């Protein structure tokens, strides 16, 4: 089998990190050699960009800068990790990829989708074979993230430590969710929507079942 790119997407607190290990294990169970990465990040340069772009100290960063930084990190990741891995027959499992730019910078910030598509064609031309979209109501996801971000001594300080994007208002995340769902509806062959509002074990089981179906389909083609 040749290499494939599998991506996990979703809004805040959807459970991507929680599901990632199960997806990786399932791919390995099928005898697939998997490289796991994340966005923004995944390379030393990309991780430095991640720190910069999520730093709440940069509250005034404009949407154009944010979009370009996401693609700067991604261009490096594609060339340094994704393309070499796929070329050697390995699979890549990424916690977020280009769909996140359509959702956050497109839906959330209102950047033109055609501009994002142009950046994608130029800087990140690798298309995922499977994208698992973990979808849940915004309020439920934010509740999870805010609970996680509470400091250890929350009885003395109840201000959650949120990054720059997590600090956006709820309406921003409603637009992000709508943009993700629109992308999934437009490309049902690639996307699988998973109801992430359920208990962790159910979400993991649904993700693993989608991985099984995808691997079986790829083996038929190969
Ligand atoms: N971003 C962007 O704007 N444009 C781009 O192109 C890209 C990214 C690539 C960093 O991403 C930020 O960058 C992100 C989008 C933006 N926005 N922000 N902020 P990230 O993926 O690193 O950060 P994140 O989306 O904020 O990840 P997250 O909050 O860690 O979400 P998650 O990985 O989906 O969730 P989790 O860590 O697995 O779970 C969150 C909490 O919920 C945790 O305490 C779990 O124990 C709990 N949880 C998880 N699942 C469940 C279930 N099923 N039930 C109950 N509790 C659960």
């Amino acid at each position: 089998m040749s290499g494939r790119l599998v991506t996990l997407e979703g809004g805040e607190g959807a459970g991507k990190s929680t599901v990632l290990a199960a997806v990786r294990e399932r791919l390995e169970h099928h005898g697939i050699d998997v490289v796991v990465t994340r966005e923004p990040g995944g390379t030393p340069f990309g991780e430095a960009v991640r720190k910069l772009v999520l730093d709440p100290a940069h509250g005034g960063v404009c949407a154009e800068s944010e979009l370009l930084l996401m693609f700067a990190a991604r261009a490096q990741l594609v060339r340094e990790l994704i393309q070499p891995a796929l070329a050697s027959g390995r699979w890549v499992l990424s916690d977020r990829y280009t769909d996140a730019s359509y959702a956050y910078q497109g839906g959330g910030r209102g950047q033109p989708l055609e501009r994002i598509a142009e950046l994608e064609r130029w800087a990140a031309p690798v298309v995922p074979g499977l994208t698992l979209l973990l979808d849940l109501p915004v309020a439920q996801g934010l509740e999870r993230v805010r609970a996680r971000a509470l400091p250890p001594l929350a009885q003395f300080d109840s201000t959650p430590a949120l990054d720059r994007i997590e600090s956006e208002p709820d309406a921003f995340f409603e637009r992000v969710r709508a943009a993700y769902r629109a992308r999934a509806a437009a490309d049902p062959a690639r996307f699988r929507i998973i109801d992430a509002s359920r208990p962790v074990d159910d979400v993991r089981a649904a993700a693993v079942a989608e991985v099984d179906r995808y691997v079986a389909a790829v083996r038929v083609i190969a």
Side-chain angles (χ1 to χ4, degrees):
M1 268 193 298
S2 55
R4 295 282 195 285
L5 173 61
V6 175
T7 57
L8 288 179
E9 298 280 2
E12 303 313 288
K16 292 175 290 81
S17 315
T18 305
V19 160
L20 189 93
V23 170
R24 175 197 202 144
E25 278 163 25
R26 197 63 184 179
L27 288 168
E28 288 171 347
H29 163 87
H30 287 293
I32 292 165
D33 185 6
V34 193
V35 188
V36 174
T37 189
R38 69 168 179 181
E39 279 212 48
T43 66
F45 173 75
E47 291 295 326
V49 173
R50 177 188 180 93
K51 232 180 232 162
L52 182 70
V53 79
L54 296 181
D55 188 343
H58 302 305
V61 71
C62 67
E64 290 80 0
S65 293
E66 185 179 278
L67 174 63
L68 290 169
L69 283 171
M70 295 297 175
F71 269 96
R74 181 170 297 136
Q76 192 64 31
L77 181 70
V78 166
R79 281 146 192 86
E80 193 173 319
L81 185 143
I82 297 180
Q83 286 176 328
L86 298 182
S88 67
R90 304 181 80 190
W91 286 38
V92 177
L93 171 59
S94 186
D95 185 342
R96 297 196 187 278
Y97 186 59
T98 52
D99 295 302
S101 292
Y102 286 96
Y104 283 81
Q105 284 67 53
R109 304 274 189 228
Q111 288 299 290
L113 299 185
E114 186 40 48
R115 188 69 45 77
I116 299 173
E118 201 179 323
L119 286 169
E120 183 180 37
R121 283 191 293 274
W122 173 55
V126 181
V127 180
L130 172 67
T131 296
L132 301 178
L133 173 58
L134 304 190
D135 179 60
L136 82 171
V138 166
Q140 198 179 343
L142 289 176
E143 199 175 300
R144 290 178 187 173
V145 167
R146 286 167 187 160
R148 184 186 58 184
L150 278 176
L153 297 175
Q155 71 267 39
F156 302 118
D157 176 5
S158 59
T159 313
L162 300 172
D163 69 35
R164 191 177 58 79
I165 297 178
E166 284 170 345
S167 311
E168 288 295 330
D170 294 9
F172 173 87
F173 297 109
E174 293 289 357
R175 296 195 296 278
V176 168
R177 184 185 188 203
Y180 265 132
R181 290 167 66 94
R183 284 193 66 73
D187 192 355
R190 170 165 72 90
F191 276 92
R192 293 291 176 270
I193 300 183
I194 292 176
D195 175 1
S197 67
R198 294 171 293 169
V200 172
D201 286 348
D202 294 1
V203 179
R204 280 201 195 103
V208 162
E210 292 299 350
V211 167
D212 286 350
R213 276 191 276 276
Y214 179 63
V215 171
V218 167
R219 290 209 156 119
V220 168
I221 298 164

